[in-house]
Amino acid sequence: MNKKIRVLIVDDSAVVRQTMDKVLSSDPMIEVIGHAPDPFVAAERIKTLVPDVITLDVEMPRMDGLTFLRKIMTQHPIRVVMCSTLTVEGSETALKALEYGAVDIITKPKMGTKQFLEEACISICDTVKAAAMCRLNRLPSPNSNAPVSRAARAASLAQAGKVAPKLTADAMMPPPSANRAMIQTTEKVVAVGASTGGTEALREFLEEMPGDSPGIVIVQHMPENFTKAFSNRLNSLCQMTVKEAEDNDTVVRGRVLIAPGSKHMMLKRSGARYFVEVRDGPLVSRHRPSVDVLFRSTARYAGKNAVGVIMTGMGDDGARGMKEMKDAGAYNIAQDENSCVVFGMPKEAIKHKGVDVVKPLHQIAQEVLRHCGR
């Protein structure tokens, strides 16, 4: 991308607007072109300054963010990232916003430790940059035909002086050994990774899975608290039981476990029993939870008993872990470019030679079931 990403910040709090401006302006690839205290002011600003991305508060006076989002998407579609507090009510509203066309969710930055603030800066800036790369109404971004490269992101953040070296899954567990999980069992485990655009992709995938499907473990890049509301929403729509994962939850047929926001999730095995371990830890591949961490643990403890799925999302999280899964004997599926909101993560997994087959979103569930003998 040759030009900066133009961002309009819409929030009724002056403090939040100033903080968001400072966070976003720290990235040389982003330009904040204005603030608006409510949707009415934002609508006037958009007439003269058309942004690439809007960060939109969920709860505002005069008009709430959800109503404004629906107006934007029906009258003048723009890439929108919802900015919410860590409340149950805010989470449910923000998830509804994803159905109405919002690209992603971020949590409002707040005071905390130096590490917390640095991680929040990384998350917010990366989310806005991913949003700028998204297909809008399934059309390619006018600014680019591909996601920003890993080198460009690393260079921009290095210039901003914000980021420590990017960590791999080594920060959480060692690489899988050659013979640890090669014994075939009767039960399969399906490990799935997704990011930008993944909430709706996962809904479509899981709605097609029968109630007695093999156990599924999922990492969807999402802030803490939102994963619980997201899991509850999917549980009401799907035949399988869907829940936010808790430490030591068993991976069994008919159950889907979604990694909690801001926690890493790893597959483990004791005898014939698969379960998950939920842990704190550093950002891995710039994320927590990280797909690479889940996939590495799946390679280590499930091996050829696993099926891996990599879905829409920006960046390369999951690419190395998926190659480790393939080397351990797993069968891996990548979502194709045409059905992705951002073809970043699947593209990187394919480049790393960790993918067995590339399928459109609507065919992934059947491909998983076919390989599991259904």
Side-chain angles (χ1 to χ4, degrees):
M1 179 177 287
N2 295 322
K3 65 177 184 178
K4 290 187 176 184
I5 299 164
R6 293 154 55 89
V7 180
L8 175 66
I9 299 168
V10 184
D11 197 294
D12 64 311
S13 167
V15 173
V16 171
R17 294 196 301 272
Q18 292 167 4
T19 304
M20 286 290 291
D21 191 318
K22 183 177 180 181
V23 167
L24 293 171
S25 297
S26 71
D27 193 307
M29 296 178 67
I30 298 173
E31 176 186 5
V32 177
I33 61 171
H35 302 173
D38 62 50
F40 293 95
V41 176
E44 290 299 315
R45 298 274 165 83
I46 291 170
K47 290 178 182 178
T48 55
L49 295 170
V50 180
D52 298 307
V53 179
I54 294 174
T55 65
L56 179 60
D57 188 14
V58 173
E59 300 173 358
M60 290 179 290
R62 297 217 288 171
M63 181 187 293
D64 65 89
L66 203 58
T67 301
F68 184 50
L69 172 67
R70 297 183 74 174
K71 290 181 178 292
I72 291 174
M73 300 311 293
T74 55
Q75 297 174 10
H76 186 83
I78 297 175
R79 295 162 183 85
V80 175
V81 173
M82 302 304 293
C83 188
S84 176
T85 55
L86 289 174
T87 64
V88 174
E89 295 79 7
S91 300
E92 292 172 350
T93 303
L95 288 174
K96 180 64 69 174
L98 295 175
E99 297 179 35
Y100 292 163
V103 171
D104 215 330
I105 305 167
I106 55 177
T107 53
K108 291 187 179 183
K110 60 181 186 292
M111 296 305 295
T113 63
K114 183 175 183 289
Q115 179 184 352
F116 176 87
L117 292 172
E118 288 177 350
E119 290 182 357
C121 183
I122 292 170
S123 176
I124 291 170
C125 290
D126 278 2
T127 299
V128 167
K129 288 188 286 188
M133 299 296 100
C134 284
R135 298 173 184 266
L136 191 59
N137 291 337
R138 296 294 184 184
L139 295 176
S141 163
N143 297 323
S144 174
N145 292 322
V148 175
S149 69
R150 286 180 289 144
R153 290 200 313 279
S156 71
L157 286 157
Q159 292 172 27
K162 290 290 181 181
V163 184
K166 182 176 176 181
L167 299 179
T168 69
D170 291 346
M172 293 302 296
M173 66 185 305
S177 57
N179 58 0
R180 185 167 187 124
M182 302 304 288
I183 300 173
Q184 191 82 25
T185 66
T186 57
E187 289 298 325
K188 296 284 188 180
V189 176
V190 181
V192 184
S195 187
T196 309
T199 53
E200 288 304 294
L202 287 169
R203 177 192 58 76
E204 183 172 332
F205 165 66
L206 292 176
E207 282 185 336
E208 295 181 12
M209 298 296 287
D212 62 345
S213 297
I216 300 175
V217 285
I218 295 174
V219 163
Q220 162 69 47
H221 296 157
M222 186 175 280
E224 59 180 311
N225 199 60
F226 293 94
T227 44
K228 185 172 184 63
F230 179 53
S231 301
N232 291 341
R233 171 179 172 250
L234 290 177
N235 189 55
S236 70
L237 298 172
C238 302
Q239 297 179 59
M240 298 183 74
T241 299
V242 184
K243 73 181 293 285
E244 182 185 59
E246 298 177 82
D247 194 41
N248 207 40
D249 272 348
T250 304
V251 181
V252 294
R253 186 172 291 274
R255 172 185 270 188
V256 180
L257 298 176
I258 297 180
S262 199
K263 300 279 188 180
H264 288 300
M265 182 174 75
M266 293 174 285
L267 182 73
K268 292 296 182 75
R269 180 174 170 178
S270 177
R273 171 181 172 260
Y274 289 108
F275 63 100
V276 295
E277 182 178 332
V278 176
R279 286 175 51 189
D280 291 319
L283 300 183
V284 171
S285 299
R286 300 175 68 84
H287 294 284
R288 187 180 56 245
S290 165
V291 182
D292 269 329
V293 170
L294 174 64
F295 281 2
R296 169 170 287 188
S297 66
T298 304
R300 185 178 181 87
Y301 291 103
K304 66 177 63 176
N305 305 312
V307 175
V309 179
I310 190 91
M311 290 183 170
T312 175
M314 177 174 163
D316 64 352
D317 188 25
R320 295 171 185 80
M322 181 158 269
K323 180 61 165 64
E324 291 174 351
M325 286 181 63
K326 183 173 174 61
D327 290 345
Y331 181 75
N332 294 332
I333 305 162
Q335 185 179 349
D336 77 345
E337 183 172 7
N338 287 337
S339 64
C340 280
V341 173
V342 181
F343 189 56
M345 286 163 50
K347 181 180 179 180
E348 290 296 324
I350 293 166
K351 285 172 59 177
H352 277 73
K353 302 186 184 305
V355 174
D356 292 286
V357 64
V358 179
K359 291 285 184 179
L361 176 60
H362 71 275
Q363 293 181 14
I364 291 178
Q366 289 305 311
E367 183 66 17
V368 169
L369 294 170
R370 183 193 69 77
H371 189 77
C372 292
R374 292 292 305 275

